[in-house]
Amino acid sequence: MEVTRRREETILFTHVYPSFAKGRILKKEMLENIRDYPRTFFDIQYESYSDGIIAGANVQVGDDHLTITRGIVKHKGRMYMLESEYSLPYYAIGTETVLKIRFIEEVVSPDFISYSTEIVLDDQLQIQHDERELGRFKLKKGARLRATYQDFDDFATEYNTINLIHVEHASFGNSTLSPVMLRYFATDMLKSGSSDPYDISFAMQCMKGETINRELLLHYLAIRMGIDYTDYSNVQIHKYLAYILADTKGGRRTKRVGGVPQRIIID
């Protein structure tokens, strides 16, 4: 006896867009579709990403103002968009100053639930739970601030330079270093003439200008230098990468014992 199976109606992948045509009634559902689609798209695309900068939010330096370019930042799983450039004044005070996004508690009105931010310069170096860093600097009086770099090592210059080392960029699983910094590393590494396959492969990944997964970064350091695989801080990662570059440019190469690099510790 043939059994007829009832097909259950199940919603799978869909693409629905409202049809705006002359004579049709504008319905609430049509407007909701337009409202929700971009937000849903971003939420799905970056669901597995950590908090941090998704795109843009670069710092540009003027004579007396800092400008933050348009960008997208993820914070506590929520997407925040800066749709227009934002400028704020800066001053030479000789001590370290952090450029921060400060997230403000939600505001509920009859029509909207709003999550807003402010961008501030703060002499408190610690990043609080409601803040994200965009960069930091220590500007001497009479000096000029810059956001251009001679090489990868220059990102750690103490004075008169925008430091991006502490900035967290969103990536799969955990936050990672600035793609701008890693592209400088890649450029310096490829110019060094290294023939190490790990150097070349990692540099090629960095040259794409995309975020590099933190796990890949740590694996590269562990293999290349013979150090433990562990979650080093951004500052430690930068120091290790700078050491690899200096070692390669000097033509010395990291010494290997039995095919494994000797253990090197950098505080």
Side-chain angles (χ1 to χ4, degrees):
M1 180 176 66
E2 183 180 355
V3 178
T4 302
R5 295 184 178 180
R6 179 184 174 186
R7 182 182 177 184
E8 296 181 358
E9 292 186 2
T10 304
I11 298 177
L12 298 175
F13 291 98
T14 61
H15 179 89
V16 180
Y17 192 81
S19 175
F20 296 105
K22 185 177 181 180
R24 293 192 60 82
I25 298 174
L26 182 63
K27 298 179 181 179
K28 179 184 71 173
E29 291 82 1
M30 299 166 72
L31 297 177
E32 289 175 343
N33 177 277
I34 296 177
R35 178 200 67 189
D36 294 338
Y37 179 79
R39 182 178 294 110
T40 302
F41 174 82
F42 277 112
D43 287 344
I44 294 173
Q45 183 174 12
Y46 295 107
E47 182 178 11
S48 299
Y49 274 52
S50 68
D51 286 350
I53 296 175
I54 295 285
N58 300 308
V59 181
Q60 299 176 343
V61 177
D63 291 338
D64 55 9
H65 278 72
L66 298 177
T67 298
I68 296 85
T69 65
R70 298 187 304 164
I72 304 172
V73 174
K74 185 177 180 181
H75 179 71
K76 293 186 177 180
R78 188 176 292 113
M79 298 293 183
Y80 292 77
M81 299 183 67
L82 179 65
E83 299 185 20
S84 301
E85 292 184 346
Y86 178 81
S87 295
L88 74 166
Y90 67 91
Y91 307 93
I93 59 176
T95 57
E96 197 160 27
T97 304
V98 183
L99 179 62
K100 299 178 178 180
I101 305 173
R102 188 166 290 155
F103 297 85
I104 302 171
E105 293 183 0
E106 69 177 26
V107 176
V108 180
S109 69
D111 296 322
F112 295 98
I113 299 176
S114 301
Y115 298 89
S116 58
T117 62
E118 58 181 352
I119 298 177
V120 300
L121 288 169
D122 192 356
D123 59 2
Q124 297 297 318
L125 304 186
Q126 187 174 359
I127 307 301
Q128 304 298 329
H129 71 280
D130 61 343
E131 297 175 337
R132 303 215 73 84
E133 179 174 340
L134 292 175
R136 60 180 64 189
F137 61 90
K138 189 186 295 185
L139 182 61
K140 293 181 179 180
K141 292 185 178 181
R144 294 178 64 88
L145 187 62
R146 63 188 175 98
T148 55
Y149 309 92
Q150 297 178 4
D151 52 26
F152 179 74
D153 196 51
D154 196 23
F155 282 89
T157 298
E158 182 177 4
Y159 286 97
N160 312 326
T161 306
I162 297 290
N163 183 328
L164 302 177
I165 295 174
H166 301 268
V167 180
E168 295 181 332
H169 284 254
S171 182
F172 182 83
N174 295 297
S175 64
T176 190
L177 273 66
S178 163
V180 173
M181 285 176 51
L182 294 178
R183 188 175 175 85
Y184 269 82
F185 172 84
T187 300
D188 288 352
M189 178 58 74
L190 294 175
K191 287 180 179 179
S192 75
S194 172
S195 59
D196 189 307
Y198 290 110
D199 291 344
I200 297 171
S201 177
F202 182 70
M204 290 295 186
Q205 289 292 322
C206 294
M207 284 297 289
K208 294 179 180 179
E210 302 171 354
T211 54
I212 300 297
N213 183 269
R214 193 179 195 89
E215 187 176 359
L216 175 59
L217 260 171
L218 298 174
H219 275 301
Y220 171 68
L221 294 180
I223 294 171
R224 183 63 173 77
M225 298 187 64
I227 57 178
D228 294 333
Y229 177 90
T230 188
D231 191 10
Y232 298 106
S233 69
N234 282 17
V235 173
Q236 289 172 312
I237 292 174
H238 179 268
K239 287 182 178 179
Y240 281 128
L241 291 175
Y243 176 86
I244 292 172
L245 277 175
D247 188 54
T248 304
K249 289 178 180 179
R252 297 185 300 275
R253 310 289 299 134
T254 304
K255 295 181 180 179
R256 296 172 183 267
V257 178
V260 179
Q262 290 184 335
R263 185 181 180 86
I264 299 172
I265 301 298
I266 298 179
D267 293 328

